[in-house]
Amino acid sequence: MRHALYVSTNGEPVGSLGFEPREDRYDFRYEDGWLARRDAFPLSPHIGLDGAAPRTGTLARFIGNLLPEGRALDVASIVYQISKDNIYGLIRMLGKEPVGALSFLAAGEDVPPLPHASQVNPQVDPQAGTQAGTQTSTQTSGQGRRIVGEEELTERIRDRDTIPFPVWDKRVRLSIAGYQDKLQVLVEGSQLSLVDGSPLSSTHILKPESRNPGTPFMVANEHFCMTLAARMGLPAAPVAIRRIPEPILLIERFDRVVAHEAGNPERVAAVRRLHVIDGCQALDLPVSFKYERNFGNTTDVRTIREGASFEKLFALTPYFVTPAAARMFLTRWAVFQLLIGNSDAHGKNLSFFMQRGGLVPAPLYDLVSVNAYGEMVEQEMAMGYGDAFHLGEVTPFELACFAQRTGVQPRYLARELVRMAQAARSLAPELARSALYVGEERGLLQTVSGFIVEQAERLSKMAPEVPKIDRKLL
């Protein structure tokens, strides 16, 4: 028996997703009305608007990458009594507000369209992320908000071992990929709310402190690295620490455009969702391929590198709206991971706006100094620089290999290494002393800052040697 979900964006029909369970086969058809729109976009570069059938498995891989991972996926499977392998069943239950602009709705479900452009006019570049607009009507006032008070949030954070954090009001409230505990929330001043869809949607991702004793002060760590990236001129999602008193990290969503009620800048009238896909979706890879060594690093399989890699990401050039700008962005993203010691920068920690004309890099997120936790966390890098998968293995030769495999000019890479190293060395120590961080957080960030300074000096010394490497040796 064939099943179907209706796919919409901001209340407007996009197409229908079909599924034949016995054959484990998916199909997708765009609505004629969607194809006729000037602002229509494809689901991904591999599910085109031209109507051509995607490659076998592409639709399953695309949907699978929308689902949460780890404990959140376990929780969803248990709550809804759906196998973790049943991605159609899971997206049916969790697909109302995944990352990006799409909603997956069963027959009979409906998401009201956003107010007409004459009512909501954010006047922002769709690549700019969440910004304020105005609306002349207050028709959404009070609708769909399930307020989360600080006392309740504190209790839920402390009781995560008893009640899984994604479950609120006996429902799974998480449909975002990743392993960390997180929650999608609407932020209006100091008020946090859970919302269910158009015209209101989540505007931020909330992350509580990690429960892992081996990775303390993750909130401060991520806030520091994200803030450092922004101060260095890299596009990064805005972040804030809120203490309730437990520290929580609020990450402003770049796949949302917010319109506020006229005369009340803290009251949201509507939220327009923007379509973004992650690196695995852009590469048409399953979530299990988010690491370059997709089978692990044991001796018998460590040379198998079929997962997401710098080489594959740079090979997306034909799909980029502005190839030169996108390649510069990817180069700087790669260098920044070396500077902060983020070994977990994998294929799902990078996203792109999906527009009719192609891909545009989205702001950075999930930037953490994994190096700060030493042997408590895996230090092998998710993607290799040349053949180096550990920071200590990165040499001018491996950086030259990185340049050759990605098509980056060695002299340009050398300049970026020096420029970014100088900026990081200048900015990190001062940021680590910020009054935003308290207690033992400050000790961890001093460690992170000290590592960044050392790594910056090391990369600065390597940089001049990179262009000197004979390409015939690579």
Side-chain angles (χ1 to χ4, degrees):
M1 177 180 177
R2 183 179 183 275
H3 302 274
L5 293 175
Y6 300 100
V7 182
S8 67
T9 178
N10 297 308
E12 301 292 339
V14 173
S16 60
L17 176 73
F19 179 57
E20 290 279 1
R22 288 188 178 272
E23 300 176 15
D24 195 25
R25 178 169 52 84
Y26 291 84
D27 61 81
F28 184 81
R29 185 182 70 82
Y30 289 101
E31 293 283 346
D32 291 340
W34 179 252
L35 295 174
R37 293 174 58 134
R38 295 182 61 185
D39 60 347
F41 52 79
L43 271 63
S44 87
H46 312 284
I47 310 171
L49 295 172
D50 59 5
R55 292 170 53 196
T56 301
T58 290
L59 289 165
R61 290 188 287 270
F62 178 84
I63 298 164
N65 276 295
L66 294 174
L67 298 174
E69 301 170 66
R71 187 172 187 239
L73 183 60
D74 294 338
V75 169
S77 173
I78 293 168
V79 169
Y80 295 122
Q81 296 186 317
I82 299 172
S83 167
K84 290 188 291 184
D85 296 325
N86 186 349
I87 62 173
Y88 178 87
L90 289 167
I91 200 64
R92 185 180 182 277
M93 300 305 299
L94 300 174
K96 199 167 186 179
E97 193 197 354
V99 170
L102 303 177
S103 294
F104 295 80
L105 307 170
E109 286 187 289
D110 187 31
V111 176
L114 287 179
H116 190 269
S118 61
Q119 294 176 285
V120 178
N121 182 24
Q123 297 180 338
V124 297
D125 181 333
Q127 302 171 21
T130 306
Q131 296 193 27
T134 60
Q135 176 165 316
T136 57
S137 168
T138 59
Q139 61 180 345
T140 63
S141 178
Q143 286 188 347
R145 291 172 176 81
R146 192 290 202 194
I147 296 174
V148 178
E150 291 188 357
E151 184 176 340
E152 180 185 19
L153 182 56
T154 293
E155 182 178 343
R156 287 303 312 276
I157 290 173
R158 293 175 179 175
D159 290 347
R160 279 180 286 171
D161 287 332
T162 304
I163 306 174
F165 196 62
V167 178
W168 291 72
D169 309 319
K170 299 181 180 180
R171 293 173 48 199
V172 178
R173 290 276 191 169
L174 175 71
S175 52
I176 305 173
Y179 275 90
Q180 286 181 266
D181 281 333
K182 60 188 77 167
L183 192 66
Q184 302 177 114
V185 293
L186 172 71
V187 175
E188 296 172 295
S190 61
Q191 179 177 291
L192 305 178
S193 302
L194 304 176
V195 289
D196 289 326
S198 180
L200 293 180
S201 179
S202 62
T203 58
H204 291 68
I205 305 300
L206 182 157
K207 289 184 180 181
E209 197 64 87
S210 170
R211 295 180 303 163
N212 185 346
T215 58
F217 315 117
M218 282 284 285
V219 166
N221 189 333
E222 185 169 350
H223 183 276
F224 174 90
C225 293
M226 292 285 288
T227 304
L228 178 63
R231 292 189 181 183
M232 288 174 59
L234 299 174
V239 290
I241 294 178
R242 190 175 292 186
R243 302 183 188 275
I244 60 170
E246 286 78 11
I248 57 174
L249 184 69
L250 290 174
I251 305 116
E252 189 174 324
R253 300 192 66 155
F254 49 73
D255 58 344
R256 302 291 185 262
V257 178
V258 179
H260 291 94
E261 292 184 355
N264 188 353
E266 290 194 351
R267 184 73 170 180
V268 174
V271 181
R272 180 169 293 277
R273 296 165 59 193
L274 305 177
H275 189 39
V276 296
I277 61 176
D278 65 34
C280 284
Q281 290 171 314
L283 294 170
D284 193 19
L285 294 175
V287 63
S288 59
F289 278 47
K290 67 180 184 179
Y291 294 105
E292 184 172 351
R293 284 174 166 167
N294 49 300
F295 291 128
N297 61 4
T298 56
T299 304
D300 57 327
V301 294
R302 63 187 308 153
T303 58
I304 300 174
R305 298 165 62 172
E306 298 172 335
S309 65
F310 291 118
E311 184 175 358
K312 288 185 174 70
L313 289 167
F314 276 82
L316 289 170
T317 293
Y319 297 112
F320 292 141
V321 173
T322 53
R327 291 173 65 81
M328 178 178 69
F329 170 90
L330 290 173
T331 302
R332 292 175 176 174
W333 178 68
V335 172
F336 190 75
Q337 311 303 336
L338 287 176
L339 283 166
I340 65 173
N342 182 15
S343 61
D344 200 38
H346 53 67
K348 293 183 69 63
N349 280 352
L350 188 69
S351 289
F352 303 90
F353 292 104
M354 182 74 253
Q355 301 175 356
R356 191 182 191 104
L359 299 171
V360 176
L364 303 180
Y365 57 96
D366 283 351
L367 300 175
V368 175
S369 177
V370 176
N371 180 82
Y373 302 118
E375 295 180 358
M376 297 299 295
V377 179
E378 176 58 59
Q379 296 295 330
E380 175 164 303
M381 292 183 288
M383 294 188 283
Y385 294 76
D387 293 324
F389 280 87
H390 287 86
L391 287 174
E393 298 171 352
V394 176
T395 63
F397 182 86
E398 299 296 357
L399 291 171
C401 284
F402 165 87
Q404 183 185 55
R405 294 176 186 180
T406 58
V408 174
Q409 288 296 320
R411 291 189 181 278
Y412 169 70
L413 177 59
R415 288 197 301 270
E416 284 300 305
L417 285 166
V418 171
R419 186 189 65 82
M420 293 182 64
Q422 289 176 342
R425 188 166 48 211
S426 171
L427 295 168
E430 180 183 0
L431 178 58
R433 294 191 293 268
S434 170
L436 287 168
Y437 310 117
V438 300
E440 294 180 84
E441 294 173 348
R442 300 175 70 86
L444 176 79
L445 295 184
Q446 288 296 327
T447 299
V448 173
S449 173
F451 168 81
I452 291 173
V453 170
E454 291 178 3
Q455 188 71 346
E457 293 173 351
R458 181 168 173 258
L459 293 176
S460 294
K461 292 177 181 178
M462 288 187 195
E465 302 303 314
V466 174
K468 299 177 184 178
I469 305 295
D470 187 346
R471 294 194 176 190
K472 296 178 181 178
L473 300 175
L474 300 175

